[in-house]
Amino acid sequence: MRTILVSGDGADEVAAATALHHARQGLRTHLLAADDPHRTLDTVLGTRLTEQPARYADALTVARTDGPSAFRAAVEGLSGTLAPAFDLLGATPLDPEELTPLPGTGQLALLRSLRTVRAEVLVVAAPRPAELIAALALPEQLDRYLARLLPEQRQAARALRPLLAAVAGVPMPAEWLFEARGRAAAALAEARAVIEAPTTTVRLVVDAAAPRPEELRRIRAGLALHRLRLDAVVAHRALPAAATGSADPWLAAHAAREREALAALAAGLDVPLLTSRQPGPALEAVADQLYGVGAAGPRAAEQSWWVEDRLAEDGLLVWHLALPGADRAELELVRRGDELVVGLGDYRRLLPLPAALRRCTVSGAGLADGVLAVRFAPDRDLWPRGIG
């Protein structure tokens, strides 16, 4: 499945036009409104979206995520599993009508949709970029917490649980807890498979009149840190091309400034800059402006992370991490056991070290041309004899 997550200013209209473009090519396409409390996509499409997919055009269905509904369904689904815990604590479960969504339920609803929708192309009118990155990073983070709190080796030792309980003097986790962990781990693995697939990309939308390149750079760095593939930037609702030659001097000057700003923006990008123009025409026309007639649309280039062997020359291994948009002033690096903590402004990720680097110490790092190079020197106490 091809998954396109559209986020930013005007994402709803661009997502709708993108979905319509793929549907017009005969591909079974599903358009999903995620975290849209004001129902902006409903207005764009002129129809009321629900959780149930509805046909909008040939080969195109539309729906929306429903955070509160997803939250209630999740809690009700766990009611049987959690019953032993409620009995142990002497607590009374909440009734369905008492359940109100907690912060983050919109993110969970989006992740559930990513792993359950079946289509050739899924287009998501996604939350704002910061919230989208947080949502897409969630499966990896939750998987880490599960591994730390309920490691699989403890589940494997179920036959020894009574003995361990007697020796330790404390009760061991019950079977129902590990069953819940298994279901959660499977769901997280399915979500990660979609997010990390090479056919999943992010398309950022900026206001053509105020593209804010510095903000876009930080978003680009956050996407790259989580290895989320950016395939294009869309400058939405730009002035008509004819405005540059307008008889109105104010309009002509404004159009010239906008054109210069977008040219500068395009020069600093490593992906295509697409443009849609105002006044807002029909969605079919917006799709043609962005993608042309019959074109497949942009595809993200793979950003490689790789280890360079420089042992013979310098006695080093160098881990190259492609992080376009990263700024040296915002970079934070910390070695933590077998992981490297990388921070880029407000974005942060714990990266497991490749096996060879776990037997090394960090000797330095540099950031140039959007690539972070971390240098590792072999630890002689851990490195195999005769190597390095």
Side-chain angles (χ1 to χ4, degrees):
M1 181 175 69
R2 174 92 165 90
T3 303
I4 305 169
L5 300 141
V6 185
S7 177
D9 298 319
D12 300 283
E13 188 171 6
V14 172
T18 302
L20 190 59
H21 168 74
H22 287 282
R24 289 160 69 191
Q25 293 181 301
L27 298 171
R28 287 186 300 105
T29 304
H30 185 71
L31 173 62
L32 181 70
D35 194 20
D36 183 19
H38 304 296
R39 293 185 170 271
T40 308
L41 192 58
D42 293 31
T43 303
V44 171
L45 297 176
T47 187
R48 184 174 179 80
L49 304 181
T50 69
E51 263 196 303
Q52 298 303 315
R55 183 178 180 276
Y56 180 79
D58 289 343
L60 176 58
T61 56
V62 295
R64 71 190 302 265
T65 60
D66 188 338
S69 175
F71 176 72
R72 287 191 294 271
V75 173
E76 290 170 8
L78 286 172
S79 58
T81 303
L82 294 177
F86 287 128
D87 292 341
L88 181 66
L89 296 173
T92 302
L94 293 171
D95 294 327
E97 57 270 16
E98 294 181 89
L99 297 175
T100 55
L102 298 174
T105 53
Q107 296 176 338
L108 295 176
L110 171 59
L111 295 176
R112 186 179 70 164
S113 295
L114 289 181
R115 63 185 179 86
T116 57
V117 167
R118 297 293 177 262
E120 291 180 280
V121 180
L122 169 62
V123 181
V124 181
R128 303 287 300 175
E131 288 125 22
L132 174 61
I133 294 173
L136 299 181
L138 195 56
E140 179 181 284
Q141 295 167 348
L142 293 178
D143 196 43
R144 177 188 181 85
Y145 298 154
L146 278 179
R148 178 65 61 87
L149 297 174
L150 288 171
E152 290 186 4
Q153 57 267 32
R154 291 179 65 184
Q155 183 178 8
R158 74 178 77 185
L160 300 176
R161 216 170 288 155
L163 176 62
L164 293 174
V167 172
V170 294
M172 301 301 290
E175 191 68 29
W176 65 266
L177 187 57
F178 287 110
E179 290 175 358
R181 183 228 190 270
R183 286 194 296 272
L188 291 173
E190 290 177 5
R192 288 187 68 174
V194 175
I195 294 168
E196 296 171 3
T199 52
T200 296
T201 58
V202 177
R203 199 162 296 175
L204 292 175
V205 186
V206 299
D207 183 354
R212 299 192 292 275
E214 192 62 17
E215 178 182 326
L216 183 60
R217 179 194 63 75
R218 292 191 180 95
I219 295 169
R220 180 72 183 93
L223 290 170
L225 178 60
H226 291 282
R227 304 206 73 177
L228 302 171
R229 300 166 181 83
L230 180 68
D231 64 8
V233 173
V234 176
H236 188 45
R237 296 181 69 82
L239 289 171
T244 306
S246 172
D248 182 341
W250 180 88
L251 180 59
H254 183 61
R257 286 193 300 270
E258 181 181 272
R259 184 178 61 183
E260 292 172 3
L262 294 181
L265 181 66
L269 292 174
D270 58 340
V271 296
L273 177 66
L274 310 176
T275 306
S276 69
R277 300 190 177 276
Q278 56 175 293
L283 288 176
E284 292 85 350
V286 175
D288 292 342
Q289 287 179 2
L290 291 174
Y291 309 115
V293 179
R299 295 276 176 167
E302 182 63 31
Q303 295 163 354
S304 60
W305 291 15
W306 57 286
V307 177
E308 178 187 7
D309 185 346
R310 284 172 33 190
L311 291 173
E313 300 89 343
D314 307 314
L316 297 172
L317 296 172
V318 184
W319 195 14
H320 296 271
L321 309 176
L323 297 173
D327 188 317
R328 189 189 309 272
E330 299 173 339
L331 179 64
E332 175 191 0
L333 289 176
V334 178
R335 169 75 181 268
R336 182 185 179 280
D338 289 341
E339 297 174 316
L340 185 68
V341 183
V342 183
L344 289 174
D346 293 333
Y347 301 104
R348 187 180 182 88
R349 188 181 180 194
L350 282 73
L351 302 175
L353 292 173
L357 302 184
R358 296 173 188 174
R359 301 190 297 271
C360 301
T361 58
V362 177
S363 64
L367 179 64
D369 299 324
V371 177
L372 173 64
V374 187
R375 299 183 295 277
F376 291 81
D379 185 330
R380 297 302 172 182
D381 294 332
L382 301 175
W383 201 254
R385 292 182 182 275
I387 299 180

